[in-house]
Amino acid sequence: MAKPVAFTNAKPPSNLHSHRTTSQTHTVSFLNLNNLSFISCALTLGHKNKQPNWSKPSLVRSKSGLGLGPVDPLEMAAEAWNRTALLVIDMQRDFIENEGPMLVKGGKEIVPNVIKAVQVARQRGILIVWVVREHDPLGRDVELFRRHLYSTGEVGPTSKGSPGAELVDGLVIREGDYKLVKTRFSAFFATHLHSVLQGAGINNLVITGVQTPNCIRQTVYDAVALDYQPVTVIVDATAAATPDIHLANVFDMKNIGVATPTLQEWTDFKA
């Protein structure tokens, strides 16, 4: 079993754009890609070796028995990714497309990165879990504060079988993936997600999707409470209504030991 890496807790800075302490530096940069703004959160530790701020996926015991002597690195990597699941949360038309009734303004910009994260997960043999909202057309399973959206006689947001409940273009559920329907913010609340992951031997989670302060955050906090380790949030494959909201929630999650790499950092990472 790989030795867990200790996380350094960072207090949310009063100025979200730049914060410096004697032990670490947080730099936030806003980039522009094809005239679409998105946030890249670079969290660089002030250690000499500048190691990433996330731990390696936990490994099962190697086939060599007691784990003594040389172990094939490819075997170790395969074992690590086999214990990892990628959660793609709420990447549905009603949340992402401009005319969607539940539009998350930062959602459209991250679609290419979510597509890339799924591609990398498939290459690594990582289980992909598609977490979606699908509600009763009459809104009987919706939170009380949203039920008025289903009382007008029109199709409510992400109603089961509606076009708005479909995944956005470029994201496709394939054989071997798992689809999970939820009716609340957390993917764990009143679902069988934990049982499915336990049955598959999963203890490492990677999170993508929308939106950061609601479904992403509550799923992450439940995962931490259930002792998944590590829990990773890809910062530029998740989004909120504004960059400031996104970044503030990223800081909160990092403070409870959640890993926060960019997509490129996660893609380049070797187990």
Side-chain angles (χ1 to χ4, degrees):
M1 185 74 69
K3 184 177 180 181
V5 176
F7 290 91
T8 301
N9 290 342
K11 295 182 179 180
S14 57
N15 182 346
L16 293 179
H17 293 277
S18 180
H19 176 65
R20 182 181 298 271
T21 67
T22 57
S23 61
Q24 54 195 13
T25 301
H26 305 279
T27 304
V28 179
S29 60
F30 294 90
L31 306 180
N32 187 283
L33 179 61
N34 296 328
N35 296 322
L36 297 175
S37 297
F38 68 95
I39 185 170
S40 173
C41 177
L43 302 171
T44 306
L45 298 181
H47 302 298
K48 292 182 179 180
N49 56 7
K50 297 187 181 297
Q51 292 297 318
N53 75 315
W54 69 95
S55 60
K56 293 184 178 182
S58 303
L59 294 174
V60 295
R61 180 173 295 179
S62 72
K63 295 179 181 178
S64 59
L66 297 177
L68 302 176
V71 178
D72 185 347
L74 294 179
E75 176 186 325
M76 291 182 65
E79 288 176 345
W81 299 130
N82 285 341
R83 296 178 68 84
T84 301
L86 173 71
L87 273 57
V88 183
I89 298 178
D90 291 353
M91 294 298 293
Q92 297 162 269
R93 295 184 184 276
D94 275 350
F95 294 114
I96 303 300
E97 295 187 346
N98 291 336
E99 65 274 14
M102 305 298 290
L103 175 65
V104 178
K105 291 184 179 179
K108 199 166 188 178
E109 290 93 334
I110 68 167
V111 170
N113 281 0
V114 176
I115 292 173
K116 177 65 175 177
V118 170
Q119 293 172 343
V120 173
R122 293 197 194 286
Q123 293 168 0
R124 290 173 169 172
I126 292 173
L127 172 65
I128 300 171
V129 180
W130 300 91
V131 181
V132 296
R133 276 190 181 250
E134 288 184 359
H135 287 296
D136 170 63
L138 299 180
R140 290 170 291 190
D141 57 0
V142 181
E143 298 98 332
L144 290 176
F145 76 93
R146 285 180 174 169
R147 290 195 179 178
H148 67 281
L149 299 173
Y150 297 79
S151 61
T152 61
E154 299 181 359
V155 177
T158 64
S159 291
K160 186 175 182 179
S162 70
E166 297 174 356
L167 295 172
V168 295
D169 291 343
L171 295 175
V172 180
I173 301 175
R174 294 185 181 177
E175 184 177 356
D177 298 348
Y178 191 83
K179 177 182 176 181
L180 181 91
V181 175
K182 66 180 176 66
T183 58
R184 292 297 186 269
F185 293 130
S186 174
F188 290 98
F189 181 83
T191 73
H192 48 272
L193 177 60
H194 186 49
S195 295
V196 170
L197 296 176
Q198 283 188 315
I202 302 295
N203 56 15
N204 313 313
L205 297 182
V206 180
I207 312 294
T208 63
V210 295
Q211 67 169 320
T212 320
N214 296 347
C215 298
I216 302 300
R217 182 184 180 116
Q218 290 209 25
T219 297
V220 164
Y221 272 69
D222 280 352
V224 171
L226 290 166
D227 293 330
Y228 287 90
Q229 174 65 22
V231 177
T232 299
V233 173
I234 302 180
V235 294
D236 52 355
T238 47
T242 70
D244 286 345
I245 292 172
H246 176 64
L247 183 57
N249 282 274
V250 168
F251 274 116
D252 286 345
M253 290 185 284
K254 185 176 184 295
N255 280 340
I256 61 167
V258 174
T260 56
T262 64
L263 175 64
Q264 190 62 55
E265 289 171 335
W266 184 71
T267 299
D268 293 342
F269 181 67
K270 307 299 182 183

